[in-house]
Every structure is written in structure tokens, then in C-alpha cells.
Amino acid sequence: MLVVMKKSATEADMRGVKQFLVERDFDFHQSTGANRTIIGVIGETHTIDREELKKLPGVLEVFKIPEEE
Amino acid sequence: MDISDIRKHIDALDDELLKIFNQRAQLALDIGHHKKRLGLAVYDPERERKIFERMKAANPGPLDDGAIVRLFERVIDESRRLERIKTKGI
């Protein structure tokens, strides 16, 4: 799963998303670009409530990675 | 120095980095055990922020501060993951 943060996302927003993931026992890798930060979530991501994650401050979009056939 | 010499030098530095990454991971794990015992959270954003600030302040280049933060983000991500897995059930 990929969490794309808004350009305007603050440090506090980032912390909120990471806290959300850590509390649910997920690992993540943060990729910080010049304009945007993307958080790659690792694990059994089908158990994450995508809508709940999307509602967190600073989150632009949450993408589910399609499963392979 | 020719390319082969430079690559040998890079290989030696990579060996050193490998050792240092693992030493750092072991120390993070030791902290993880303490945190578990004290009931503290694995994720400590304030500590992470301080590490990034310290590394940026000490950065001599040529890597820019953004690159330094990204590298340390990755190191910290992996440390946190290891800490979470290894301290589970302790």
C-alpha cells in the first residue's frame, strides 16, 4: 500500500500517519521527494481501513497495490 | 587513482558500512528491549527528528541535507522494523 502525502503535509501530519501504522503493527518506508513524501506500507495491508487512513490530516491518496494473479 | 582502485576503495567502505549498520541495529535492538521493559513505544518521532537534525548539522557534503535525511530515514525504518519483530513477545 502507498500513502501519498499532500505537499502541504506538516511534520505533525507525517507523525500522525506513522503512528497510525505503527499502532496497527505495520512497517513502513518513507520516501521523501522534493515536493512530496510517499509512505510505502509493508505487511498484510488488506486489514488496513483505507478510508480511515485517507481521512488522516495531510494524506492526499492511499493506493492499494493490486495482487498478482 | 583509476576506476579499479576507486571501486576497491568503495568496496572497503561498503564493508565498513555493513559492519556499522549492523552495530547500529544491534544497539537499536538493545534500546528496544529497554523500551519494552519500560512500556515505551517503538516509534519515537521526537528521537527521529533529533537524529535528522544532528546529522544535517554535522553533514560535510557532498551529499545534501535532503539526501542525508533520506538515507537516515531508511536506516531508522529498518531499525524500527527489527526492533518491532525482535521484541515481540518478550
Side-chain angles (χ1 to χ4, degrees), chain B:
Chain B
M1 260 202 296
D2 63 18
I3 286 182
S4 159
D5 288 334
I6 295 172
R7 283 189 173 149
K8 272 185 203 156
H9 199 168
I10 286 177
D11 286 347
L13 287 175
D14 285 347
D15 289 344
E16 199 62 30
L17 280 172
L18 180 65
K19 215 184 297 170
I20 290 169
F21 283 148
N22 278 303
Q23 282 174 356
R24 192 191 185 287
Q26 185 56 60
L27 290 171
L29 211 46
D30 293 345
I31 286 185
H33 289 126
H34 285 293
K35 282 199 223 168
K36 184 90 180 175
R37 191 171 48 80
L38 298 167
L40 301 172
V42 170
Y43 177 50
D44 185 349
E46 188 52 25
R47 170 66 182 153
E48 292 185 10
R49 194 188 60 76
K50 281 183 181 162
I51 292 173
F52 298 146
E53 289 309 313
R54 203 170 73 77
M55 291 299 98
K56 283 195 285 187
N59 178 24
L63 287 170
D64 64 29
D65 287 354
I68 292 297
V69 169
R70 287 192 294 277
L71 285 169
F72 275 89
E73 272 172 4
R74 196 59 203 260
V75 169
I76 290 170
D77 285 346
E78 290 300 338
S79 293
R80 193 190 313 107
R81 179 172 178 272
L82 181 70
E83 195 180 316
R84 191 181 65 75
I85 292 168
K86 296 280 185 179
T87 59
K88 213 175 214 179
I90 291 172

Side-chain angles (χ1 to χ4, degrees), chain A residues 14-15 18-19 22 25-32, chain B residues 43 45 48 70 73-74 77-78 80-81 84-85 88:
Chain A
M14 292 295 307
R15 280 199 299 274
K18 291 181 195 175
Q19 193 70 51
V22 167
D25 229 13
F26 285 98
D27 294 314
F28 57 84
H29 286 148
Q30 180 177 334
S31 297
T32 311
Chain B
Y43 177 50
E48 292 185 10
R70 287 192 294 277
E73 272 172 4
R74 196 59 203 260
D77 285 346
E78 290 300 338
R80 193 190 313 107
R81 179 172 178 272
R84 191 181 65 75
I85 292 168
K88 213 175 214 179

Side-chain angles (χ1 to χ4, degrees), chain A residues 19-60:
Chain A
Q19 193 70 51
F20 178 95
L21 296 168
V22 167
E23 279 168 5
R24 285 154 185 79
D25 229 13
F26 285 98
D27 294 314
F28 57 84
H29 286 148
Q30 180 177 334
S31 297
T32 311
N35 296 313
R36 273 191 207 292
T37 296
I38 295 171
I39 297 174
V41 189
I42 300 154
E44 300 294 318
T45 53
H46 63 271
T47 61
I48 298 181
D49 185 338
R50 205 174 132 204
E51 290 308 311
E52 198 183 345
L53 190 50
K54 217 173 148 180
K55 278 182 203 154
L56 293 179
V59 174
L60 177 72

